[in-house]
Amino acid sequence: MAYQLYRNTTLGNSLQESLDELIQGSLNTYRFCDNVWTFVLNDVEFREVTELIKVDKVKIVACDGKNTGSNTTE
Amino acid sequence: MDQNNSLPPYAQGLASPQGAMTPGIPIFSPMMPYGTGLTPQPIQNTNSLSILEEQQRQQQQQQQQQQQQQQQQQQQQQQQQQAVAAAAVQQSTSQQTTQGTSGQAPQLFHSQTLTTAPLPGTTPLYPSPMTPMTPITPATPASESSGIVPQLQNIVSTVNLGCKLDLKTIALRARNAEYNPKRFAAVIMRIREPRTTALIFSSGKMVCTGAKSEEQSRLAARKYARVVQKLGFPAKFLDFKIQNMVGSCDVKFPIRLEGLVLTHQQFSSYEPELFPGLIYRMIKPRIVLLIFVSGKVVLTGAKVRAEIYEAFENIYPILKGFRKTT
């Protein structure tokens, strides 16, 4: 079909969304290896009902969750 | 328009729907047997005379493009008038050679004189039906340029870093990298400036996409190579090549895609139930255009910027001819 020409490019472009986040928002870096995502965010607000926590730098490590999914911030 | 071909050659010109005929040299011999495969196929005759005229104009333009690529525009204008009659019949010959079976309903025969567009100073006496009449691109008459410049949207390029790479090391140590070997056997890395994405393979080859200009694509590829180099690999920068360029623009008027696919069926495919755009595969330059009702045009398949510009200048007069008037 004629559109396969364009499907090839989706592999390469494969979502500029990450970069959009980089530009607009606070995503500093991201990494995905061995099914583990690692994000570093800057200037983050953690908002709970009562509390508001502002942080300069957040590292999020995330694995696939079936039953367990570890999520550590420092 | 006459349906039989029995008019003497000198009178056939007068039967032209175009009206005034300059003395085209009649080549078509009334003695030529029909149905031998050498006969020009009857062209599709719709009810609309204007479509026929458009076909003729476009075919004569094709004729000129084939034979006189280096000619001056003034000479082209003269050729246009002389070759008007050749248009429809040449089209049918070319249709025959390029399309194979057209599978169309029995069509009315066109009573135009068969004249090949004569080069200045030459008078071909006999038709050459075996001449490959590959339709290339509709040539434009001597009109002003469209004034619209397609903007480049995406450039895909490749480069060879010249050494084997350990993708896991790269994914673990580089920033903004993804590596999921189960899904895809390459590291997907992105940089912000120029905003691009790279696919880095273990062979050392790399694909860089997303840049808006040739220089940006090269610069981005160099940045990725430097990242890999800083991770400790002996990266080089071999055989950088731009593989594809995508441009887009807006003609600023709505377009009758149905009409366009009818007259340019050799080049076009339009299936609105599948995709709302008409896919026009231009032969020279070899560019694919996506043409939408809104008047937006996407051009892709170019290796150099000039091909995008040339393709758009070729398609613009055709699109003007299919402007929606309601």
Side-chain angles (χ1 to χ4, degrees), chain B residues 17-85:
Chain B
Q18 286 255 350
M21 269 298 294
T22 56
I25 294 160
I27 293 171
F28 188 86
S29 160
M31 304 305 288
M32 182 180 250
Y34 295 115
T36 59
L38 297 181
T39 325
Q41 281 288 327
I43 61 160
Q44 177 183 21
N45 179 33
T46 66
N47 293 334
S48 161
L49 203 56
S50 61
I51 290 182
L52 184 59
E53 283 172 337
E54 279 170 4
Q55 283 177 335
Q56 291 175 355
R57 195 172 61 242
Q58 287 147 15
Q59 292 310 318
Q60 100 205 2
Q61 291 161 356
Q62 282 185 13
Q63 192 70 37
Q64 292 162 18
Q65 188 79 9
Q66 287 173 8
Q67 300 192 5
Q68 311 158 17
Q69 285 191 8
Q70 307 301 325
Q71 291 283 345
Q72 302 286 338
Q73 278 187 353
Q74 295 151 1
Q75 288 177 350
Q76 279 184 1
Q77 281 174 351
Q78 293 169 4
Q79 301 292 346
Q80 279 178 20
Q81 290 174 354
Q82 289 176 3
V84 154

Side-chain angles (χ1 to χ4, degrees), chain B residues 126-288:
Chain B
Y126 298 103
S128 48
M130 303 315 281
T131 308
M133 292 296 173
T134 319
I136 28 184
T137 44
T140 61
S143 62
E144 60 279 4
S145 75
S146 60
I148 304 172
V149 180
Q151 296 304 305
L152 290 180
Q153 301 294 345
N154 182 25
I155 313 251
V156 178
S157 59
T158 55
V159 71
N160 186 0
L161 301 178
C163 63
K164 292 271 178 285
L165 302 175
D166 180 12
L167 297 187
K168 191 141 166 210
T169 311
I170 294 176
L172 281 174
R173 294 174 55 198
R175 291 164 169 247
N176 303 322
E178 292 168 50
Y179 181 45
N180 193 355
K182 290 184 300 190
R183 190 167 58 123
F184 189 55
V187 167
I188 303 166
M189 195 184 297
R190 295 183 176 87
I191 57 175
R192 293 171 217 236
E193 183 54 49
R195 187 153 79 85
T196 50
T197 302
L199 305 178
I200 305 172
F201 293 84
S202 54
S203 62
K205 295 207 173 147
M206 182 170 78
V207 180
C208 174
T209 66
K212 301 280 195 202
S213 83
E214 304 91 318
E215 260 321 294
Q216 282 188 7
S217 190
R218 193 185 181 93
L219 175 64
R222 288 211 110 105
K223 289 193 177 181
Y224 289 113
R226 199 178 324 139
V227 168
V228 170
Q229 202 177 51
K230 283 190 179 165
L231 290 178
F233 299 94
K236 300 181 262 302
F237 199 74
L238 308 172
D239 307 323
F240 175 81
K241 181 176 177 203
I242 289 177
Q243 303 288 355
N244 186 29
M245 301 174 69
V246 181
S248 71
C249 57
D250 186 1
V251 299
K252 301 280 199 296
F253 53 79
I255 302 172
R256 285 182 285 118
L257 298 183
E258 271 302 331
L260 181 55
V261 74
L262 278 176
T263 51
H264 288 77
Q265 53 207 24
Q266 306 153 273
F267 309 104
S268 320
S269 92
Y270 177 46
E271 299 275 348
E273 296 178 6
L274 281 181
F275 186 64
L278 184 151
I279 300 166
Y280 192 105
R281 297 178 186 274
M282 194 175 284
I283 309 232
K284 189 183 180 305
R286 203 166 77 88
I287 298 286
V288 174

Side-chain angles (χ1 to χ4, degrees), chain A residues 2 14-15 28 30-32 35, chain B residues 171 174 176-177 179 182 190 192:
Chain A
S14 84
L15 301 183
N28 192 325
Y30 66 88
R31 174 176 295 114
F32 180 70
N35 274 327
Chain B
N176 303 322
Y179 181 45
K182 290 184 300 190
R190 295 183 176 87
R192 293 171 217 236

Side-chain angles (χ1 to χ4, degrees), chain B residues 294-312:
Chain B
S294 59
K296 299 264 191 340
V297 179
V298 174
L299 307 94
T300 185
K303 287 279 195 284
V304 292
R305 186 187 283 250
E307 287 174 0
I308 299 260
Y309 294 158
E310 187 187 343
F312 182 68

Side-chain angles (χ1 to χ4, degrees), chain A residues 25-39:
Chain A
S26 51
L27 178 66
N28 192 325
T29 61
Y30 66 88
R31 174 176 295 114
F32 180 70
C33 195
D34 293 330
N35 274 327
V36 176
W37 279 103
T38 309
F39 300 101

